[in-house]
Amino acid sequence: MLSLAIEAAFAMMTLALLLNLWRVVRGPDLPDRILALDTMYINSIALIVLYGVQQKSEFYFEAALLIAVMGFVGTVAVVKYLLRGDIVE
Amino acid sequence: MKGFSWLPHPYLSLMLLVIWLLLVNTTAPGHIVLGTLLAILVPRYTTTFWSDPPRKVRLLPLLRYTLVLIGDIIVANVQVAILILGPASRLRPAFVHYPLTLQSEFAITLLASTISLTPGTVTADVSADGKGLLLHALDLEDEEALIHHIRERYELPLKEIFEC
Amino acid sequence: MIEILVSFFLLVGAAFALIGSWGLVHLPDFYLRLHGPTKATTLGVGGMIIGSVIYFSSHGETLSLHELLVTLFLFITAPVSAHMLAKAALHLQLRSEERTRNRNDV
């Protein structure tokens, strides 16, 4: 039951990531691409959490947390570059 | 709670301790000591970044606000999911100017984040004088009703929590 | 019983994340697309993490709550990144849908 649910969730998340990738490629503007990348990192956190449940291992949690932190910083840095043309003022 | 020079931000310290204990996923005495040490030291050395800390926080209204917010986030997401799955031509998007009555920067930040997390609205901008928010709504029926809803449900409770 | 609960949360979370991503593809302008990821995807990950908390708490000896940190962090950062992206879009004067009300006085 649980392994089936995990498989199904894996499939859904993969599809979600593909949809995001389509938006990254398609654009049409930079904010769209950044938004899509932002969504991709959130979705990959979900994927890692799923993998952790499947492997019955809690160690993947740290990776998920790191991606959450780094992804947010990355998004903010790129958006700041768009807004000001500079990251560190 | 003000007046301890060695503990400039008691709520921040408490939060840091809780986050540390969650991070190491244990309540072993050693980690409580280490967490307490961090909770005292980190706010001390980052105090210049906290320009406008909330003076006073009422915990009971804050708890009620959090519970209401969690409920609203779930309800809102089901609504947004239905809207997204439906035809895009049915949506009625709109920009809305929301006049603020809050003054504290911290409370305004919380309100803006709340608005972004709840039904079909995203905070897009804060006006330069800090007196209004620019919202984008996914599917708006009545502008006045939305402003009234946000005022009653989120802004007034925030005012009560931070007493400003 | 716990298996059913965990499966439920994992599937609901994945469904929300998928719907958010679908919104990102299918909605017509940037400001509309912003709504999908900030709400649905964040809640989706939240749902999956609740599933994982239940799973590990029922399998280990102690309560395992540290996954909640990820959810907490996402719920704090999602509105901030949405706000910054919206600001960037307004700054670049991205096109919004014709029928958007008040689109001319932003």
Side-chain angles (χ1 to χ4, degrees):
Chain A
M1 166 75 187
L2 184 62
S3 58
L4 200 69
I6 291 175
E7 296 287 331
F10 264 129
M12 283 153 102
M13 292 316 301
T14 314
L15 187 59
L17 279 167
L18 283 173
L19 291 174
N20 296 340
L21 189 63
W22 189 83
R23 181 52 75 190
V24 174
V25 174
R26 178 71 201 282
D29 297 292
L30 265 178
D32 280 296
R33 296 201 165 94
I34 302 170
L35 178 64
L37 283 172
D38 189 74
T39 318
M40 271 182 114
Y41 90 72
I42 297 178
N43 281 340
S44 46
I45 292 171
L47 215 53
I48 290 178
V49 169
L50 262 182
Y51 190 64
V53 174
Q54 195 191 34
Q55 301 292 314
K56 300 184 173 54
S57 158
E58 291 202 47
F59 294 113
Y60 294 97
F61 147 80
E62 257 114 56
L65 193 62
L66 274 179
I67 291 184
V69 175
M70 293 302 167
F72 172 65
V73 174
T75 306
V76 169
V78 180
V79 172
K80 248 199 124 189
Y81 179 73
L82 270 190
L83 277 173
R84 305 278 172 88
D86 203 351
I87 295 171
V88 181
E89 285 167 33
Chain B
M1 285 294 244
K2 268 216 140 156
F4 302 112
S5 56
W6 53 276
L7 197 64
H9 306 289
Y11 299 110
L12 179 65
S13 298
L14 189 67
M15 219 173 94
L16 281 174
L17 176 61
V18 171
I19 286 179
W20 178 260
L21 291 179
L22 276 176
L23 191 64
V24 295
N25 209 14
T26 158
T27 45
H31 276 297
I32 293 179
V33 172
L34 185 56
T36 313
L37 204 66
L38 286 173
I40 290 169
L41 290 181
V42 172
R44 275 190 77 158
Y45 292 105
T46 55
T47 190
T48 43
F49 295 112
W50 297 84
S51 53
D52 178 30
R55 293 273 147 64
K56 200 171 172 201
V57 182
R58 288 224 202 126
L59 290 178
L60 209 64
L62 180 65
L63 190 70
R64 197 181 330 129
Y65 184 79
T66 315
L67 290 179
V68 167
L69 184 59
I70 292 173
D72 282 1
I73 286 174
I74 294 168
V75 174
N77 271 287
V78 176
Q79 288 171 352
V80 169
I82 293 169
L83 285 175
I84 288 177
L85 289 177
S89 54
R90 218 185 47 194
L91 298 175
R92 291 161 295 179
F95 282 105
V96 180
H97 279 284
Y98 179 78
L100 281 169
T101 58
L102 286 171
Q103 255 127 50
S104 139
E105 268 178 40
F106 186 74
I108 292 175
T109 312
L110 273 186
L111 180 68
S113 302
T114 306
I115 290 169
S116 288
L117 285 173
T118 48
T121 44
V122 165
T123 311
D125 211 349
V126 187
S127 66
D129 55 2
K131 294 235 161 55
L133 295 174
L134 177 67
L135 316 181
H136 183 270
L138 187 61
D139 184 45
L140 184 72
E141 221 178 276
D142 181 5
E143 208 175 307
E144 291 304 317
L146 178 74
I147 292 175
H148 184 75
H149 176 78
I150 293 174
R151 177 97 65 219
E152 292 292 319
R153 204 166 171 85
Y154 306 117
E155 190 170 6
L156 293 180
L158 276 175
K159 244 184 178 162
E160 194 190 341
I161 293 168
F162 296 108
E163 287 186 340
C164 55
Chain C
M1 181 58 211
I2 280 170
E3 272 206 357
I4 294 174
L5 207 61
V6 174
S7 309
F8 172 78
F9 274 112
L10 289 182
L11 285 176
V12 168
F16 269 114
L18 184 56
I19 290 170
S21 303
W22 169 244
L24 189 65
V25 166
H26 143 97
L27 293 173
D29 79 20
F30 175 78
Y31 304 97
L32 286 172
R33 289 199 278 268
L34 198 55
H35 289 271
T38 46
K39 298 193 199 67
T41 310
T42 313
L43 188 78
V45 176
M48 296 178 95
I49 283 172
I50 290 173
S52 143
V53 166
I54 297 172
Y55 180 80
F56 285 117
S57 297
S58 66
H59 281 249
E61 311 85 71
T62 52
L63 205 59
S64 167
L65 289 176
H66 61 179
E67 286 96 335
L68 287 181
L69 272 184
V70 180
T71 321
L72 183 72
F73 192 80
L74 282 181
F75 271 102
I76 293 172
T77 57
V80 179
S81 32
H83 168 72
M84 292 201 73
L85 279 165
K87 240 180 130 157
L90 289 172
H91 177 73
L92 298 175
Q93 297 178 328
L94 288 197
R95 181 195 68 87
S96 59
E97 278 282 281
E98 294 291 333
R99 61 202 148 99
T100 305
R101 262 184 275 170
N102 303 330
R103 67 190 286 245
N104 294 320
D105 51 86
V106 293

